[in-house]
């Protein structure tokens, strides 16, 4: 059990993981609250090359009121992540210029993500992907999860998959999208 609150950094406001080694890391029963940074408000994890050798497991965690330009709750790049029974609530991806302000709850790029029994509630992106933004090169499976009252200024209030040039494989199974809002694709934008 860990409470990570009101931290500021360039990347990974609460926790930053840069690994090119294979292995698993489990973060369980933790609360990440009001952390602030440029990338990965609560957690940013990245590998230098594409390969998914490192596996981050988030279990029974809460991510609330975190802020970042990209991935206000969590940003995963070039790694594998499993999210089980977590809550992403009221996280904000802030737009300042260019293409930032993406992924209120999570941002995924070149990632294998398995998300199960997780709630994305009231997250906001000032650009795309209020609940989740999936850039390119992702394999994502979402099961028994809820996306409710998330919003994005432009696209994908609940979930956004990067446009026509993206190479994402996405499965959404037995999940609920309710009362999400955006200019285009309130529940799911592409």
């Amino acid at each position: 059990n860990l409470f990570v609150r009101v931290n500021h950094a360039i990347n990974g406001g609460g926790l930053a993981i840069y690994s090119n080694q294979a292995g698993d890391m489990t973060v369980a029963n933790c609360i990440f609250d009001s952390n602030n940074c440029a990338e990965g408000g609560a957690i940013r994890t990245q590998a230098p090359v594409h390969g998914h050798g490192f596996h981050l497991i988030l279990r029974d965690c809460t991510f609330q009121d975190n802020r970042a330009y990209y991935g206000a709750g969590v940003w995963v790049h070039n790694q594998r992540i499993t999210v089980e029974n977590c809550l992403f609530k009221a996280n904000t991806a802030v737009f300042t210029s260019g293409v930032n302000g993406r992924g209120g709850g999570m941002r995924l790029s070149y990632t294998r993500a398995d998300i199960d029994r997780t709630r994305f509630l009231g997250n906001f992106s000032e650009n795309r992907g209020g609940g989740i933004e999936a850039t390119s090169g992702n394999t994502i499976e979402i099961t028994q999860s809820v996306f409710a009252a998330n919003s994005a200024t432009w696209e994908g209030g609940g979930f956004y998959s990067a446009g026509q040039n993206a190479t994402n494989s996405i499965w959404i199974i037995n999940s609920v999208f309710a009362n999400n809002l955006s200019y285009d694709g309130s529940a799911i934008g592409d």
Side-chain angles (χ1 to χ4, degrees), residues 53-100:
F54 180 80
H55 182 197
L56 176 63
I57 301 162
L58 302 176
R59 185 175 296 131
D60 301 316
C61 292
T62 298
F63 300 87
Q64 64 189 23
D65 296 316
N66 299 289
R67 296 173 61 87
Y69 300 134
Y70 300 98
V74 173
W75 183 4
V76 183
H77 180 71
N78 279 343
Q79 293 183 344
R80 183 171 178 212
I81 186 168
T82 298
V83 182
E84 298 172 343
N85 197 37
C86 289
L87 170 64
F88 290 80
K89 181 179 178 185
N91 299 290
T92 301
V94 180
F95 177 82
T96 57
S97 65
V99 296
N100 62 18

Side-chain angles (χ1 to χ4, degrees), residues 139-176:
T139 300
I140 302 167
E141 184 173 309
I142 299 170
T143 55
Q144 299 180 44
S145 294
V146 175
F147 293 77
N150 300 290
S151 59
T153 301
W154 294 109
E155 296 176 280
F159 182 96
Y160 175 75
S161 176
Q164 64 192 31
N165 296 323
T167 55
N168 291 318
S169 297
I170 301 167
W171 293 269
I172 301 173
I173 304 160
N174 295 329
S175 295
V176 174

Side-chain angles (χ1 to χ4, degrees), residues 131-132 147 156-160 177-182 184-189:
I132 294 176
F147 293 77
F159 182 96
Y160 175 75
F177 286 79
N179 301 316
N180 297 290
L181 180 66
S182 71
D184 188 20
S186 292
I188 300 172

